[in-house]
Amino acid sequence: MSLKSRLLVAIIGLIAFIFCLVDVVTYNSLQTFLIGREDQQLFQSVSEMTHELVRATQININLGTNAAGSVGTTSLQAGALGQLRDNGAIVTSIQVSYGNKTTAFQPFPLVTAASVKLATSSQQAIYVTATPKSSSEAYRVLIYPLSQTYVLLEAFPLTAVNDTMTNLLHFEIYTGVLAVAAAILIGLLAIKLSLSPIDRIRKASKAVSSGDLSQRLEVSNPKTEIGELQTDFNNMVARIQEEFYLRSLSEQKLREFLSDASHELRTPLTFILGYADLLLKNSYSQDPSIEKIKEQASRMSKLIEELLVLARLDEGQKLQFEPVDLRLLAHELAADVLLLDPSRNVKVNAAEPMFVMGDSIKLRQVVTNFASNIFNHTQEGTPVSVTVTTEDNYGVYIVSDYGKGVTDLNKIFERFYRENKVKSDGGVNSGSGLGLSIVYAIIQAHNGTITARPTELDSGLTFEVKIPLADR
Amino acid sequence: MALNKNSPRVLVVDDEPGLADLIASALKFAGFQPEVATNGTAAIKKYLADKFDIIILDVMLPDMNGFDLAKKISTSAPRTPILFLTAKDSTEDKIRGLTVGGDDYVTKPFSLEELVARVNAILRRAGNDAGGSGRVEFHGLEMDEETREVRRDGKLIDLTTTEFRLLHYLLSNAKKVVTRAQIMDYVWNYDFGGDSGILETYISYLRKKVDFKEPKLIHTIRGFGYVIKNKENP
């Protein structure tokens, strides 16, 4: 459940609870008050009613002090004098009713014998509310013990009281529903308003995580909790931005330095290579160490060229993207491998054109590096296969050799890593250790991936390159 | 090695005196008559005073840009071919656009052997010499099997390995029609699943690179194969 709905439910629940509580209390107290008033009237008419009934019936009852009510006009609807027999039955001596004769009312069937008995035995007036079977109207009935055997009953309809209570109930329901509706509306609005800064913080955080470090929040009120959060957020992003800037600045400097250094090393290298050449051509000096100088100088020259390529790629060199057919790159790999070693068995599985978005010159560099890697690290005649296929939205280029494989797959893309400094045939591995690093950097610049694995269980080396397909 | 008056004269222009001397020594050793200039002004002075067969020109000079110097020189006739020296950089593309006729470029660091070979190649082209081993030439389309360089009317064409093999086969059979099967046998002499028009694709790439100007040299013989020929001047 979201914070919004939880808050809303809480507000509505609270409002409904308060309303219900107030309603119940109001309803009960009003009812108690109104019925109390009726009871008082009933009690005040006891004396008058008794006299009237006694006069009418000629029954001699010792009234004692029980009938000491004031005598006045009465709004009673009915009264009755009853005699309680020993067997519990009530004998009605006389009943009188006032008002409309058609609704003549018989109080006695209303009350139970038990209530009557209780009243006579305790000599206490008892008030009950009862509804006769013939009508739906409720009555308030007073059971008044006149002696041990005689009781006076008075009844008064509760129509007015019940009407008032029904009206109150309706009023309470209407106001309750209205209040809850208002609470929902106002609550939604208030929640939305008070949570909108959080929404903005969320959006800004999202933008920051996707790389936009220029995001800042408007601080609404720095003294509120939200305000503090906004200020802290701004400070945090500013700090991160500064760190990133400083880091990229130093990285930039380092890359520029690497690029410049490689560049500056070329001229002295040209000298070394040149003079070694001249000395070798000079028939007077056939010193084999000159051959070594030339060999190592050539190697260093190659190394510097590759370092420069890497430095440029690291600097974020812009690539010239165009649709490039991976199928043709598979054929180029076959041609390159056979050019270096015609004795190899090469297999190409690339039946259909497969266009990816790429820089054709850079991707050809990848192919060349794969070919020289195969040439340098597998024995003469080792078979090679290259497969082009597709997976999701990527063109997949798989190069496999069936040589001995490598011992540490995790390191082969590391710069300057060389598996064997001495080749299997005894010659010096003249690789720079940068070829596959360049491949890795080029594939990364293409938003692609490259992975290495053994071709077979524990032998051979397979590279799998994935590059996004071109929209065609 | 004895020099004679007919040895080709080379003007070496480089602001690094050591490098200019080194190049001069190597050229002298290879039988050329080199002269050295270490800035643009001195180069122009020497160029105007004497006649040279070729100029080796560093792109970065202290007093002027190598390209500007090249433009100044090329106004005089007949034009002297230029071999540019460049650090492998963005300038490489610029030179590619600039080099015409017998011009060429070499990137630093270069080996002196390569430099001398290039100078020889330029002079050979300038003298319209078709000879040399491992070289095939047909109506301005040249192929050097050793350096794996292809040029048309002196302009360097960058070919992939497969394109080079394909063009090599067509060129060594110039004026002869070769069938699809023959080409597939020679160029695609390895196992690959299905044909799917790979030859046609490569021919179209090759046309874009080689036949960038008239007359077109690569021709399709429908239903049979391909041939390299010059229809206008057989």
Side-chain angles (χ1 to χ4, degrees):
Chain A
M1 207 154 143
S2 75
L3 183 61
K4 262 184 201 174
S5 30
R6 261 189 289 173
L7 279 173
L8 195 63
V9 166
I11 288 174
I12 293 166
L14 192 67
I15 299 262
F17 176 73
I18 290 171
F19 255 81
C20 284
L21 198 70
V22 169
D23 285 355
V24 168
V25 169
T26 317
Y27 189 89
N28 281 334
S29 24
L30 186 66
Q31 196 173 38
T32 311
F33 170 74
L34 288 176
I35 289 180
R37 221 172 50 178
E38 297 300 326
D39 290 353
Q40 215 176 346
Q41 278 206 357
L42 282 169
F43 189 75
Q44 280 169 356
S45 333
V46 164
S47 179
E48 188 189 353
M49 180 65 83
T50 311
H51 286 295
E52 203 165 312
L53 288 172
V54 167
R55 201 168 44 242
T57 53
Q58 302 294 317
I59 296 170
N60 187 21
I61 314 164
N62 178 18
L63 293 168
T65 53
N66 277 349
S70 67
V71 176
T73 51
T74 180
S75 55
L76 289 180
Q77 180 144 12
L81 197 60
Q83 185 182 13
L84 192 70
R85 289 273 169 83
D86 286 344
N87 60 6
I90 299 165
V91 178
T92 314
S93 301
I94 187 163
Q95 299 206 38
V96 287
S97 19
Y98 301 90
N100 197 341
K101 289 271 190 270
T102 51
T103 60
F105 172 69
Q106 308 286 314
F108 264 110
L110 276 178
V111 294
T112 58
S115 316
V116 173
K117 201 168 180 184
L118 185 67
T120 51
S121 61
S122 65
Q123 289 295 297
Q124 290 272 326
I126 289 178
Y127 300 92
V128 294
T129 302
T131 309
K133 283 190 183 116
S134 57
S135 103
S136 62
E137 207 169 10
Y139 288 83
R140 189 67 176 170
V141 182
L142 169 64
I143 309 167
Y144 192 87
L146 294 172
S147 70
Q148 287 299 328
T149 44
Y150 284 98
V151 290
L152 173 76
L153 260 77
E154 291 178 346
F156 187 80
L158 285 174
T159 321
V161 174
N162 281 347
D163 282 354
T164 308
M165 294 320 294
T166 310
N167 281 345
L168 177 68
L169 194 67
H170 287 166
F171 175 75
E172 283 179 343
I173 289 171
Y174 293 148
T175 51
V177 167
L178 266 174
V180 169
I184 292 176
L185 271 175
I186 295 171
L188 267 179
L189 210 70
I191 288 167
K192 202 174 164 164
L193 224 67
S194 52
L195 286 190
S196 66
I198 291 184
D199 255 357
R200 281 199 291 277
I201 293 172
R202 211 195 50 193
K203 270 182 201 143
S205 309
K206 229 178 209 168
V208 168
S209 17
S210 56
D212 178 11
L213 289 176
S214 65
Q215 284 286 331
R216 292 293 182 277
L217 291 167
E218 198 182 315
V219 179
S220 39
N221 182 356
K223 281 176 188 158
T224 60
E225 290 89 338
I226 294 280
E228 276 174 26
L229 181 62
Q230 288 165 332
T231 312
D232 289 348
F233 178 90
N234 285 349
N235 290 343
M236 179 184 77
V237 177
R239 185 69 214 281
I240 293 173
Q241 193 178 23
E242 196 188 322
E243 281 296 317
F244 262 87
Y245 176 71
L246 289 177
R247 183 170 295 185
S248 70
L249 209 65
S250 75
E251 277 177 4
Q252 177 72 19
K253 271 188 189 153
L254 191 69
R255 282 193 290 260
E256 275 170 17
F257 173 74
L258 184 65
S259 181
D260 291 349
S262 321
H263 196 98
E264 290 303 318
L265 283 170
R266 285 164 159 172
T267 310
L269 256 182
T270 307
F271 276 81
I272 296 170
L273 271 173
Y275 281 107
D277 259 356
L278 269 185
L279 275 172
L280 279 175
K281 284 216 179 92
N282 191 331
S283 50
Y284 300 112
S285 63
Q286 285 295 344
D287 193 335
S289 46
I290 297 169
E291 190 73 56
K292 291 281 173 213
I293 290 172
K294 199 192 161 191
E295 188 184 300
Q296 290 303 313
S298 305
R299 192 176 143 207
M300 190 171 169
S301 157
K302 197 178 151 204
L303 198 68
I304 284 169
E305 287 311 316
E306 295 193 338
L307 263 179
L308 250 180
V309 170
L310 260 183
R312 296 270 154 76
L313 282 167
D314 286 348
E315 274 178 297
Q317 184 188 36
K318 273 258 177 289
L319 300 187
Q320 305 287 320
F321 281 108
E322 58 180 332
V324 176
D325 192 351
L326 282 187
R327 178 185 56 149
L328 299 192
L329 290 182
H331 285 282
E332 291 307 330
L333 183 83
D336 282 351
V337 166
L338 288 171
L339 182 71
L340 293 166
D341 177 4
S343 72
R344 284 181 192 251
N345 179 11
V346 182
K347 184 163 171 51
V348 174
N349 303 305
E352 297 303 319
M354 181 76 66
F355 284 92
V356 295
M357 235 25 210
D359 182 315
S360 59
I361 293 171
K362 291 282 182 290
L363 289 181
R364 249 173 67 198
Q365 173 86 58
V366 167
V367 168
T368 310
N369 287 12
F370 274 147
S372 65
N373 195 62
I374 289 167
F375 179 72
N376 285 328
H377 296 285
T378 61
Q379 288 201 319
E380 213 180 306
T382 306
V384 175
S385 79
V386 51
T387 302
V388 172
T389 172
T390 170
E391 192 183 310
D392 300 327
N393 279 321
Y394 289 86
V396 186
Y397 187 89
I398 303 167
V399 181
S400 301
D401 71 52
Y402 296 85
K404 275 199 211 143
V406 292
T407 47
D408 202 342
L409 276 176
N410 296 322
K411 283 192 173 160
I412 57 172
F413 295 116
E414 278 179 19
R415 292 170 187 199
F416 298 116
Y417 175 75
R418 282 187 291 155
E419 174 91 0
N420 303 307
K421 298 228 157 119
V422 178
K423 278 212 278 193
S424 47
D425 59 9
V428 178
N429 176 2
S430 63
S432 61
L434 287 175
L436 290 177
S437 307
I438 290 174
V439 167
Y440 192 85
I442 291 174
I443 300 303
Q444 271 206 324
H446 279 78
N447 302 318
T449 58
I450 177 166
T451 51
R453 57 168 189 265
T455 306
E456 277 153 354
L457 205 58
D458 54 357
S459 70
L461 179 57
T462 291
F463 292 103
E464 183 172 319
V465 174
K466 288 185 186 175
I467 298 173
L469 288 172
D471 301 323
R472 301 204 111 231
Chain B
M1 191 165 292
L3 293 178
N4 62 55
K5 279 181 191 167
N6 293 331
S7 299
R9 297 178 58 85
V10 186
L11 178 58
V12 180
V13 189
D14 197 311
D15 61 318
E16 193 104 30
L19 192 60
D21 284 346
L22 174 64
I23 294 169
S25 314
L27 287 172
K28 208 175 271 174
F29 196 85
F32 295 94
Q33 295 185 65
E35 286 267 350
V36 171
T38 51
N39 60 56
T41 325
I44 291 175
K45 215 178 254 174
K46 285 203 168 166
Y47 175 78
L48 293 176
D50 232 328
K51 192 183 174 300
F52 288 97
D53 297 294
I54 182 168
I55 300 167
I56 297 176
L57 180 56
D58 190 3
V59 172
M60 304 279 272
L61 290 174
D63 56 343
M64 72 175 74
N65 187 322
F67 298 125
D68 296 337
L69 180 59
K71 266 180 215 154
K72 274 184 189 158
I73 288 170
S74 56
T75 50
S76 66
R79 195 178 174 282
T80 311
I82 298 171
L83 176 65
F84 290 99
L85 296 182
T86 166
K88 191 173 181 176
D89 255 334
S90 50
T91 50
E92 199 179 329
D93 296 329
K94 220 168 163 185
I95 295 171
R96 256 183 220 200
L98 196 83
T99 51
V100 282
D103 292 354
D104 200 353
Y105 67 98
V106 170
T107 56
K108 288 181 189 172
F110 49 83
S111 83
L112 290 175
E113 278 172 273
E114 188 194 351
L115 186 78
V116 171
R118 299 277 183 134
V119 169
N120 271 323
I122 292 171
L123 289 175
R124 195 167 49 229
R125 278 201 296 275
N128 274 329
D129 179 11
S133 65
R135 293 178 55 81
V136 195
E137 200 271 339
F138 183 80
H139 289 271
L141 182 61
E142 310 163 66
M143 174 176 272
D144 187 322
E145 285 168 39
E146 261 167 44
T147 60
R148 305 188 70 79
E149 275 183 351
V150 175
R151 286 165 196 277
R152 181 154 184 197
D153 295 340
K155 197 172 172 69
L156 193 67
I157 298 172
D158 183 29
L159 292 183
T160 71
T161 315
T162 305
E163 285 163 356
F164 184 87
R165 279 162 74 95
L166 177 57
L167 184 63
H168 181 261
Y169 189 66
L170 292 175
L171 211 49
S172 39
N173 291 294
K175 294 194 212 171
K176 276 182 268 174
V177 177
V178 283
T179 65
R180 281 191 95 255
Q182 282 173 318
I183 298 174
M184 295 306 289
D185 258 9
Y186 177 82
V187 180
W188 282 273
N189 59 346
Y190 50 85
D191 182 10
F192 77 103
D195 183 335
S196 72
I198 188 86
L199 172 58
E200 287 70 20
T201 309
Y202 268 103
I203 288 282
S204 79
Y205 277 84
L206 207 52
R207 278 195 168 121
K208 265 181 219 155
K209 290 180 177 179
V210 172
D211 283 343
F212 60 88
K213 63 195 280 186
E214 295 293 334
K216 303 278 185 254
L217 296 178
I218 302 171
H219 299 278
T220 308
I221 308 300
R222 202 162 287 281
F224 194 73
Y226 298 92
V227 63
I228 280 204
K229 64 176 179 187
N230 186 350
K231 275 185 179 169
E232 292 163 26
N233 181 18

